[in-house]
Amino acid sequence: MLAAQFIKTDDGQLYKKTAQGVLLRCIDKSTSEKVMEEVHDGECGPHMNAHMLAHKIMRLGYYWTTMKADCRKYVRHCHNCQIFANVQHVPPLMLYTMTSPWPFSTWGIDIIGKKLKIKHHKSSPYRPQTNGAVKAANKTVATILRKMTDNYREWPEKIPFALWRYMTSIRIATEATPYYLV
């Protein structure tokens, strides 16, 4: 049954056939390490998590049987990913109601699923509901820049690469890249 997913061509190259009919080239361990390195932290690699790294590699047309485990191991050993990871160092606690003093009376709370965001409600008059999305995108691009550069002087020359990385990374909600959606 598993063998039905694989195809061997006349020249001896092995391919895995996906459910959508796409052929992914099967590669060996040394080639897979090079591919992971280039996709994860190469010139246009956004230092994504292991799940996104495996998806991006498959979108590029490569496959090997231990891909997900290898991607997980690679990301766990990436120095920049460990330094700039968004880690919660505080255990969750019970929430208590409290009144806010006058200067904070214009603040609001947005609850989206299990996420809680507190923001100030001074928005632009044109499209105030998009300010949160813009802030989130800017935060992501800034994180990518931090992972790519050693100091702030390198940021201007790395911005186009960071934006390319951001636009070609798959989003979980849409299962597509922003570049593809546009």
Side-chain angles (χ1 to χ4, degrees):
M1 185 69 173
L2 186 62
Q5 298 174 355
F6 292 90
I7 298 170
K8 190 169 185 178
T9 60
D10 295 336
D11 61 351
Q13 181 59 50
L14 186 65
Y15 289 90
K16 181 185 188 313
K17 188 174 185 179
T18 65
Q20 294 80 21
V22 177
L23 295 179
L24 303 175
R25 182 178 179 188
C26 295
I27 55 177
D28 62 354
K29 185 172 178 68
S30 63
T31 308
S32 68
E33 290 171 359
K34 291 176 188 174
V35 168
M36 279 190 296
E37 181 181 347
E38 185 61 33
V39 173
H40 182 71
D41 48 27
E43 192 62 37
C44 291
H47 286 270
M48 73 280 285
N49 62 33
H51 180 72
M52 292 298 158
L53 178 59
H55 273 277
K56 199 162 190 176
I57 290 171
M58 286 194 296
R59 280 185 46 235
L60 291 172
Y62 297 108
Y63 180 80
W64 64 96
T65 54
T66 59
M67 181 182 336
K68 290 185 181 180
D70 292 347
C71 288
R72 212 173 305 122
K73 183 179 177 184
Y74 188 86
V75 170
R76 284 184 183 155
H77 289 90
C78 176
H79 180 70
N80 285 340
C81 288
Q82 301 310 312
I83 290 175
F84 298 109
N86 293 332
V87 179
Q88 295 287 335
H89 295 289
V90 181
L93 300 172
M94 291 290 297
L95 298 176
Y96 296 101
T97 307
M98 56 186 277
T99 59
S100 61
W102 176 82
F104 304 106
S105 62
T106 60
W107 286 32
I109 298 177
D110 290 340
I111 300 174
I112 303 170
K114 293 182 180 180
K115 294 183 180 180
L116 174 69
K117 293 194 302 182
I118 300 174
K119 64 181 182 179
H120 193 268
H121 282 289
K122 280 193 173 177
S123 306
S124 66
Y126 181 61
R127 294 276 297 169
Q129 61 269 36
T130 61
N131 285 349
V134 171
K135 281 184 182 180
N138 288 344
K139 181 180 172 186
T140 304
V141 172
T143 302
I144 292 170
L145 280 169
R146 270 192 236 97
K147 290 178 181 179
M148 292 174 63
T149 59
D150 295 325
N151 59 45
Y152 69 94
R153 293 178 190 210
E154 296 175 349
W155 280 37
E157 62 193 38
K158 296 287 186 174
I159 286 176
F161 300 112
L163 291 174
W164 177 255
R165 291 176 182 188
Y166 177 77
M167 294 297 287
T168 58
S169 295
I170 300 169
R171 302 298 181 274
I172 294 172
T174 60
E175 293 189 4
T177 66
Y179 186 76
Y180 175 78
L181 293 174
V182 171

